[in-house]
Amino acid sequence: MNFIWNFPLFTVVLSLFSGPLCMMLKAKAARNYTIAYESVLTAMNACVLGYTLKTGSSFTYPMGEFPAPWGNEIRAGSLEALIALLFSVVLLCSVTAGYHFIRKDMDESKINLYFSVLNLMTAALMAMAWTNDVFTGYVFLEIMTLTSCGILIVREIGRTTLAAVRYMILNLMGSGLFLMGIVLLYDISGHLLMIPMRESLTEIVRDPAAVPAISMAIGIMTIGISIKSGLFPFYFWMPDTYGWATPTSGAVLSALVSKSYIFLLFKIYYRAIGIHVIEKTPIFQILFVLGICGMVVGSISAMHASTVNRMIAFSSAAQIGYIYMGIGLGTVAGFAAAMFQILAHALTKSLLFLTAPYLAEVSGDSLKFHALQGSARRDPLAGTLFSVGALSMVGIPVFAGFSAKLMFGQAAVLGGIHWRILTVLAALGVSSLLNALYFIRTLIRIYSDPDQSMKEPARKRPILDKSRIGFFLAGEVLTLLNVFLGLFSWMISDVIYKGLGMFL
Amino acid sequence: MIQHLLSNYEEAAAVILFGIGFTTLLFHRNLIKKLIGMNIMDTGVFLLLASMGYIRGRKAPIVENGVTDPAAYINPVPAGLVLTGIVVSVSVTAVMLALTVRLYKRYHTLDLDEIYVLSKHEKEDR
């Protein structure tokens, strides 16, 4: 066994230990420790990605050396490694760039607790990327629910508590349905590990009488995850949750937490159930239609949003729609596009959530659109980074958003079913147009002349000073990765296709 | 249809409990009752798991009198899953209760709709 085989487990265990450790540290030490250990996490995930690409195959790590149908397993292929790498990079950037607001939003004595919850959440993120066992997936999904609620309520104002309660209630319904779904699947197949479960379901589905029961189980599970990740029509909780959280939490929740649920669902579809089994049920068609509805309705809601944070949050609903539409296409190209969209959206959305509050800070601490007028001139760095995010969301070439949209279009055309090609292309067009309408409108506003009636004099922030070095670096990293994804999308999609090949 | 339901009465009861809990969690306005609903929902799942793992005429999976033949015992995995589920359910309930206390201290009501209206009138600080 190669030493690298231990890395996936290390990432989970290290995060689990870091949680309690941060409780004992002081605020600043907890931050420095978190940044250091997340860098280690990033390095380990990068090693695993490099290793799987080099050997061209995935590896399975049996926990406690119990063989396949009995023990619990971790499995690492290129796709899992890519997603885990994305999680750790975005976490690292969110912590570095958002620390300024963490200090502002909460009591000095509670900052270490914030980091401790965040690290436990990292454990859940890593475990959900790596696990090969459906029930382990459920357990970490619940840990994710609890910790994501934890990073929401640290900002002690009434609105966040209310948002957290509503978020928790919806999430609990989602996890309840997901648990019911996997229990039914376990009832039918007799396995919890993904590969044995798929083999057993493949046998069972030959009998047409078993199909309704299996569709029912998959359907319940899918509804659970769609509530948790915010697919149309369950997206209404997003603006309150993301909009009122401290920026780091907002970025992590929208960019990573919802994506980790989708990735777990996709993994269960692909590995634990099998695409040929799902094709016997109407799940893909339903996801396709709901995804398209989400793309359009999310964008329309974003246009009516009252603050920039709510607008970004509603645009997440639209982007989640893209991902589900890609999965709903039911082809390998569609899945690859959905995975690419997970990467593109995580990098872009975290950038937007992290820069918007900096713009608000030079506009009298208001996120309302009229207050933000001219804010990019007062804070050129935040303005530039926000523009990168906005242009990527709209789908301007060079940025990641464009490549994602291109891949969705290609996947639809390759699918070869006429009504689907037309629907996807039309939906992409309408959604991009709506995106352009509200993001370009915001860009024009933040770059136009400052409102003379504003009480606060226009004080210009320097691009780089000592207190903002973390924000500068994190913003640059996210921008560079975004442009890299946009320019070299063939490289990333190559890794995704290889990963999908290793998935079975 | 009725015949099927009667012969699988444990599963039917589990699904009915799940439904009761789920609708309470979704539609009830009182936060405490929502929580009770969540616990009923989880109980439904645990009942389903426990009834699935039970095999008529066999014993609990604890080795007694040196009998190691697996055919003598019921399946232990569902029981393990129920235990895990109970732990998760307890911790979720604890967190939700803590949140409920915090909301009650601030708004002096447990009605979620009322809290929503009250919070709308608060000063928006960002």
Side-chain angles (χ1 to χ4, degrees), chain A residues 339-357:
Chain A
M339 293 300 118
F340 191 87
Q341 168 74 5
I342 288 184
L343 301 176
H345 180 241
L347 293 173
T348 313
K349 204 34 77 66
S350 52
L351 192 62
L352 284 173
F353 268 114
L354 290 168
T355 47

Side-chain angles (χ1 to χ4, degrees), chain A residues 105 135 138-139 142 146 149 153 155-159 161-162 165-166 168-169 172-173 176-177 179-180 183 186-187 192 244-245 247 365 367-368, chain B residues 15 18 22 25-26 31 34 38 41 45 48-49 52 75 77-78 81 84 88 92 95-96 99 102-103 106-107 112 115-116 119 122 124-126:
Chain A
D105 284 342
F135 203 79
Y138 163 71
V139 172
E142 285 284 25
L146 290 173
C149 175
I153 52 168
R155 194 158 173 242
E156 286 188 57
I157 57 172
R159 297 294 287 262
T161 319
L162 182 64
V165 168
R166 295 178 79 199
M168 268 299 262
I169 290 168
L172 290 177
M173 294 191 324
L177 287 170
L179 176 64
M180 195 64 171
V183 164
Y186 174 55
D187 195 3
L192 284 170
W244 293 101
D365 269 341
L367 282 162
K368 292 232 158 66
Chain B
V15 170
F18 186 87
F22 189 80
L25 183 58
L26 183 59
L31 275 169
K34 267 187 191 291
M38 187 210 85
M41 177 177 89
V45 181
L48 180 68
L49 266 169
M52 241 161 53
N75 185 356
V77 177
L81 300 186
T84 319
V88 169
V92 170
V95 171
M96 273 303 283
L99 280 176
R102 197 190 255 197
L103 273 185
R106 197 177 175 97
Y107 299 107
L112 203 54
I115 296 177
Y116 192 66
S119 78
E122 277 186 321
E124 293 180 7
D125 52 348
R126 198 153 82 202

Side-chain angles (χ1 to χ4, degrees), chain A residues 55-314:
Chain A
T55 55
S57 65
S58 63
F59 59 85
T60 309
Y61 181 90
M63 308 276 284
E65 311 257 321
F66 288 110
W70 313 117
N72 200 340
E73 279 179 356
I74 277 178
R75 185 184 166 286
S78 299
L79 191 57
E80 287 100 324
L82 189 65
I83 296 284
L85 182 63
L86 169 86
F87 286 169
S88 44
V89 169
V90 174
L91 266 169
L92 188 58
C93 292
S94 306
V95 171
T96 332
Y99 185 65
H100 175 62
F101 292 100
I102 295 177
R103 272 180 58 195
K104 214 168 148 184
D105 284 342
M106 65 192 85
D107 203 40
E108 178 82 17
S109 61
K110 287 188 179 153
I111 293 179
N112 56 340
L113 297 180
Y114 178 78
F115 282 112
S116 118
V117 175
L118 196 71
N119 292 345
L120 288 178
M121 196 172 93
T122 315
L125 282 170
M126 291 298 136
M128 276 163 79
W130 297 123
T131 185
N132 199 21
D133 179 282
V134 181
F135 203 79
T136 310
Y138 163 71
V139 172
F140 280 100
L141 182 118
E142 285 284 25
I143 294 180
M144 182 82 86
T145 308
L146 290 173
T147 48
S148 51
C149 175
I151 61 169
L152 261 179
I153 52 168
V154 286
R155 194 158 173 242
E156 286 188 57
I157 57 172
R159 297 294 287 262
T160 44
T161 319
L162 182 64
V165 168
R166 295 178 79 199
Y167 178 74
M168 268 299 262
I169 290 168
L170 282 164
N171 265 286
L172 290 177
M173 294 191 324
S175 353
L177 287 170
F178 180 77
L179 176 64
M180 195 64 171
I182 59 171
V183 164
L184 289 174
L185 279 178
Y186 174 55
D187 195 3
I188 296 166
S189 69
H191 288 283
L192 284 170
L193 276 182
M194 293 190 178
I195 298 296
M197 188 189 252
R198 188 179 72 224
E199 283 162 359
S200 150
L201 283 177
T202 311
E203 278 300 310
I204 292 167
V205 86
R206 294 223 173 95
D207 176 12
V211 173
I214 294 179
S215 337
M216 176 80 181
I218 305 173
I220 290 180
M221 197 176 72
T222 309
I223 297 173
I225 294 283
S226 17
I227 294 177
K228 288 174 89 79
S229 56
L231 172 65
F232 175 84
F234 308 112
Y235 67 98
F236 47 85
W237 52 267
M238 281 176 149
D240 277 339
T241 311
Y242 299 161
W244 293 101
T246 188
T248 305
S249 306
V252 170
L253 284 173
S254 74
L256 304 183
V257 172
S258 53
K259 303 297 162 352
S260 68
Y261 296 140
I262 298 177
F263 185 65
L264 183 70
L265 181 72
F266 175 69
K267 205 151 82 160
I268 292 178
Y269 277 173
Y270 213 88
R271 289 169 53 73
I273 301 171
I275 298 302
H276 54 285
V277 176
I278 295 185
E279 274 168 354
K280 292 192 199 272
T281 70
I283 304 277
F284 278 155
Q285 280 86 332
I286 295 172
L287 283 184
F288 180 74
V289 172
L290 290 181
I292 295 230
C293 292
M295 283 161 68
V296 178
V297 177
S299 299
I300 292 174
S301 309
M303 290 184 71
H304 298 295
S306 55
T307 65
V308 67
N309 253 14
R310 290 178 76 85
M311 181 190 87
I312 307 172
F314 271 126

Side-chain angles (χ1 to χ4, degrees), chain B residues 15-71:
Chain B
V15 170
I16 291 170
L17 275 180
F18 186 87
I20 293 173
F22 189 80
T23 40
T24 314
L25 183 58
L26 183 59
F27 293 120
H28 221 291
R29 295 186 346 188
N30 186 306
L31 275 169
I32 298 286
K33 290 188 181 165
K34 267 187 191 291
L35 264 175
I36 295 174
M38 187 210 85
N39 276 293
I40 296 176
M41 177 177 89
D42 283 346
T43 313
V45 181
F46 301 152
L47 178 62
L48 180 68
L49 266 169
S51 66
M52 241 161 53
Y54 184 69
I55 305 166
R56 206 168 285 279
R58 297 198 191 172
K59 283 185 175 171
I62 303 163
V63 176
E64 254 179 20
N65 308 327
V67 182
T68 48
D69 179 19

Side-chain angles (χ1 to χ4, degrees), chain A residues 317-339:
Chain A
Q319 303 294 323
I320 296 279
Y322 281 82
I323 302 176
Y324 276 107
M325 178 196 78
I327 295 177
L329 281 172
T331 57
V332 176
F335 300 146
M339 293 300 118

